Amino acid sequence: MQSPRLFPLLLKATLLLMLFNFAFPLLSGLPLGKLSLYNKVFPGRERFPFGENQRGYNLSLFNLDAMFAAHVLVGAPKADDEYRVLLIGDSSVWGTLLTPEQNLAGQLNSQNISACGKNVRAYNLGYPYISLLQELMILDEALQYQPDMIVWLTTLESFPKEKQFGAPLVANSPDRVKRLITNYQLPLNPDDPALNHPTTSNQTFTSRRKDLANLIRLQLYGVPWSATGIDQFYPKSYEPAQTDFEADDSFYDIKKSEPLRDQLSLDILDAGLNATDLPMILVNEPILISDGANSDIRYNFFYPRWAYDQYRVMLAEYTSSRNQPYLDLWNLVPNDEFTNSGVHLTPFGESLLAAQVGDAIQNFCE
Amino acid sequence: MGLTQIFASILTILLVAILTRGTSRVLSLLALSVLAVFWFQPSVPLRSFDFWIPSLTIFLVVAVWFITSQTGAWKSRQNLIGLAVIAGAITLVGLTRYIFPDPILTTTTPPRLILVIGFIMIAGISIAALTFLSRRLAFTLTLAIVLLITILLILKSPTLSLQLSIFLRELTGRPTDTASALDFRWLGFSYISFRLIHVLRDKQTGRLPELSLPEFATYVVFFPSLSAGPIDRAERFASDLRKDFALTQDETLQAGQRIVIGLFKKFVVADALALMALNDTLATQVRYTGWMWIILYAYTFQIYFDFSGYTDIAIGIARLVGIKLPENFSSPYTKPNLTQFWNSWHITLTQWIRSYFFNPFNRWIRGYKIPTWTMLLLGQLSTMLIIGLWHGVTVNFILWGAWHGLGLFIQNRWSDLAKKRIVISNPRLQVALNVGGILLTFHFVALGWVFFALSDPSLSQTVFMKLFGL
């Protein structure tokens, strides 16, 4: 067989590569993230993929389609006797430092509780980083998976307006954010520079190679996940949550003199609570109430007392005014049952929370 | 070699192939190879050791050439130019300290030029003294071999490496409590030492042809095969260097194809498999028998694609400049017995061990009146133990060597027995037996990797228990 000539071969290869590279944006509408081996070859993950430590067989990627496709929720056919509860929230719901069995969803499922004559099956849709907009985005997507009830666990840190576009998942999902803004008529700027708006040049194959590699890596991690059931790195030790503070009562740029409500994104909470007619329980999640230095000024690293106290009053009034089922569990957990942050609980702390949430699910089911 | 280093190697070697001929080609390759020894050297926590370790490599290479070459050979024009190129390359690396604000050929800033020049001068005096002694002492070559094996032993033994690190930290006034066995990483020494031992041994037996310093040094530290082989033979390598070479389209295409295949094997397949391949952590974390087999298969293929990918890249790059490095892998997992597996896995290492250990050992042991099977057992076992120890002086590498040594012995005995007593005329049965042999050999090798992949026998035991549902 005659060998091909070198120069024409290189030229053709280069042209084909360039063509493929620049034609790649045409594929941007394809939901590549939905192509997944999870729930088919590998069992679905009990929580969303998150983390950069390879020892956790996990990674963070900003593709909600792929995150859902890897989640057990998508692959779990709903049984007639299943009462499907979706847990929305931040890293405390996701379960930082906790195994899938120890976090809130795991503990609720191990309780074998029933609601409205059906068996409660809780799904962990928490995701690290605190932003109401991120939580709304996940809730909006999750509604298509036949839930019977939503439990939305939140905390003041999710509310400040300036935090909403800060979540990497939000910042990297501009199309979804635009849809949310339109569908829920949110008073947000769809062209906010905090959103990573796609341009033709950053949609090429070479620009998106890391996103694509991450999709493949997520699939490959399916093997160790299936083999071990481990989906995050558990360090032998961690820095305990801070309990001594500076004498500082600031909370973002929010002024004490102005009404707190005006500084928070209650409209996003509104949108979420109005997103469905399904029963929805709002939970003000437990926080660390420190007794260390300057704890008369701050409850914990996140919250000065004045802001958090105002927030609790505001949220109680807000939920009461709209007859919204609401649990204020802020002081449920003793301060030695927090791990590395003022909102991350130990397994025992989670069990206290699970007991309360479990009761509420039974009480508020329809 | 990372991707950047591979692409830089391809580009520079293409330039050499296009722009140089004859002696200038050899000298260019020598200079590039010496520079690559510094560039490829990984960082080490000891100050400036990322410069001194490559310098020691070059020192050893030049010293071995001096003691194996003809008396006065260094005075020839070609060898003097070779010496100048080597000294110039080292000095150039030292000079980068003053030219570039960030180190470019070393991971940290090279030492001051006065120290570099001091090193070159001390190295020159040491080599002159060694050469002088070697002409008078018959056992110099043996001593050099022992020295190389000793260094290899220290580098491959975690305990000795740690002691060396502690010693060097004390010497340089650094805290010893953070010393690690990985402190003294010597790039490619496993391969460099085997090439040097081959030359020294061939010199002892009178089989070594005369090689110029540029040929010899380029052979030992030829940059495409510096870190992962293959282990070529000096005379074969030199014969390629001496040939007139002009890069043709055909050669370029074939080399390019080989490099692309190697890149795919290494950076796509092997790196992907590495995410799920057996390691110390997974050994304890995997919960189910089926998944443990999959994790083991992943390692089995990862090590093959990693290693053979690198070999393809090395062979491809070398080919661009007219060097036909020997093949190192020939579909090893499709072989029906262990002997054939070892004839197709890391072929150049197997051949090296056969030439310099197995055959001499067999000749020596034949002098004793012991049964054939005992001779065979001792030969197979000790050969495989040496291959195991070459990878690392740990219990697990010894177990891996013993696993293969015993496997080879049993397979040899069985083949011997079957050849005499079993005649198979049915071709289908022959095919079935062949497939069965492939599967058996593959699984024997895969199970052997359990020792190779893990650091501790207790972890290996855990994996074996899980693999067999115990």
Side-chain angles (χ1 to χ4, degrees), chain B residues 336-462:
Chain B
N337 62 55
L338 207 52
T339 306
Q340 287 192 36
F341 168 81
W342 274 106
N343 285 336
S344 52
W345 176 276
H346 210 335
I347 299 166
T348 57
L349 174 68
T350 314
Q351 285 172 345
W352 192 100
I353 296 280
R354 192 178 289 142
S355 298
Y356 296 105
F357 178 77
F358 185 74
N359 291 342
F361 179 82
N362 267 358
R363 280 195 294 274
W364 171 74
I365 206 165
R366 263 189 229 125
Y368 298 88
K369 302 279 180 231
I370 53 173
T372 313
W373 70 266
T374 316
M375 282 200 296
L376 194 75
L377 176 64
L378 288 173
Q380 305 276 32
L381 204 55
S382 51
T383 302
M384 292 315 299
L385 282 172
I386 284 182
I387 292 183
L389 289 167
W390 180 75
H391 288 92
V393 186
T394 66
V395 177
N396 259 35
F397 282 124
I398 292 171
L399 289 172
W400 177 74
W403 175 268
H404 277 278
L406 289 172
L408 281 166
F409 172 72
I410 291 165
Q411 182 246 310
N412 183 285
R413 293 289 82 197
W414 163 253
S415 297
D416 209 39
L417 191 77
K419 215 182 291 173
K420 288 175 192 160
R421 304 202 179 163
I422 304 168
V423 179
I424 298 157
S425 51
N426 185 337
R428 283 189 181 171
L429 185 61
Q430 186 59 55
V431 170
L433 276 174
N434 208 38
V435 171
I438 291 169
L439 286 173
L440 184 67
T441 306
F442 173 79
H443 282 90
F444 185 86
V445 173
L447 289 170
W449 292 132
V450 173
F451 298 114
F452 196 92
L454 304 175
S455 63
D456 189 73
S458 66
L459 284 172
S460 309
Q461 191 191 353
T462 306

Side-chain angles (χ1 to χ4, degrees), chain B residues 161-177:
Chain B
S161 293
L162 180 64
Q163 291 307 316
L164 175 68
S165 169
I166 291 170
F167 169 73
L168 290 171
R169 278 168 179 266
E170 279 170 351
L171 205 68
T172 52
R174 295 203 52 197
T176 54
D177 50 342

Side-chain angles (χ1 to χ4, degrees), chain A residues 36-113:
Chain A
S36 182
L37 295 173
Y38 290 91
N39 296 305
K40 296 176 190 82
V41 178
F42 312 126
R45 287 172 177 259
E46 295 288 338
R47 49 191 164 191
F48 286 128
F50 172 81
E52 291 305 333
N53 193 315
Q54 289 202 3
R55 286 185 284 179
Y57 317 125
N58 217 335
L59 79 161
S60 301
L61 69 172
F62 309 124
N63 186 323
L64 207 59
D65 281 339
M67 288 163 61
F68 266 92
H71 199 288
V72 68
L73 172 69
V74 174
K78 191 175 172 187
D80 290 341
D81 61 348
E82 178 184 330
Y83 191 79
R84 181 167 282 189
V85 178
L86 306 185
L87 305 178
I88 306 288
D90 52 55
S91 55
S92 64
V93 175
W94 188 83
T96 301
L97 298 175
L98 300 175
T99 65
E101 295 77 29
Q102 290 169 334
N103 63 37
L104 180 60
Q107 298 217 22
L108 282 171
N109 290 332
S110 68
Q111 286 176 11
N112 292 322
I113 54 177

